[in-house]
Amino acid sequence: MRLFVLLILLVPTLALGAPPDLSTDSVDVYRVSLSGDKRKGTGKKFYFYKVLAGPRRISPAAARAITRELERIYPVDWPPLYCAFVPRYAIRLHRPSGTVDVLLCPHCCEGHFIMGKRLRVASVCGDIFRQLELLFPDYPLRPDEA
């Protein structure tokens, strides 16, 4: 029985391989919304989404905390849900080998990792949404966004 439980815990990790090294030179965070959002934004887009605030370059300590959280959640496979993925936060990790963009939806706890032309969908649970919400006190999540 113990071996069976151990295999169940290891199979997703083995199938996906090790999470990428997300160590970074710097991290920018954004508060994003749908393009039709009536709130004033920066006039810029992050992929197809309206940037309400950002980019905010965060401190090295905050960058390490967010990077650790992203490395923890990356391997958690997430099947497509019946949820309209609408990210409310975006993170850009600047690495020597290129950037990694992460779009985060607190409503369905889903994250999209974009590395070049590759997309990885993962389960996003934990403290990361609280950390990000603290960075944007002028743009708290509305009841229809969380």
Side-chain angles (χ1 to χ4, degrees):
M1 178 66 174
R2 288 182 189 172
L3 179 60
F4 179 72
V5 171
L6 181 62
L7 285 175
I8 288 174
L9 294 174
L10 287 178
V11 168
T13 304
L14 295 174
L16 295 171
D21 177 15
L22 296 177
S23 58
T24 181
D25 295 332
S26 62
V27 176
D28 294 330
V29 294
Y30 302 79
R31 176 68 166 88
V32 297
S33 189
L34 292 174
S35 296
D37 192 314
K38 301 293 183 211
R39 291 176 285 185
K40 184 178 180 183
T42 64
K44 296 185 179 183
K45 299 262 186 193
F46 194 96
Y47 290 89
F48 307 106
Y49 302 98
K50 178 180 186 175
V51 174
L52 297 176
R56 294 205 176 139
R57 179 86 26 115
I58 58 177
S59 71
R64 279 191 301 277
I66 286 177
T67 301
R68 272 195 310 274
E69 185 73 12
L70 292 174
E71 286 174 337
R72 186 184 69 75
I73 62 179
Y74 180 86
V76 181
D77 198 12
W78 197 249
L81 298 176
Y82 184 71
C83 174
F85 178 77
V86 181
R88 302 304 178 177
Y89 297 104
I91 300 171
R92 177 162 284 156
L93 304 166
H94 299 276
R95 305 176 317 148
S97 60
T99 61
V100 175
D101 293 329
V102 185
L103 295 164
L104 301 168
C105 176
H107 178 71
C108 58
C109 292
E110 189 173 299
H112 291 185
F113 289 77
I114 303 163
M115 294 172 268
K117 294 185 184 237
R118 295 180 316 178
L119 171 68
R120 167 96 174 103
V121 178
S123 170
V124 181
C125 298
D127 293 334
I128 195 160
F129 289 115
R130 280 188 293 257
Q131 293 172 27
L132 293 168
E133 198 163 6
L134 292 173
L135 294 171
F136 298 101
D138 297 338
Y139 292 94
L141 289 174
R142 299 181 305 202
D144 66 327
E145 293 181 309

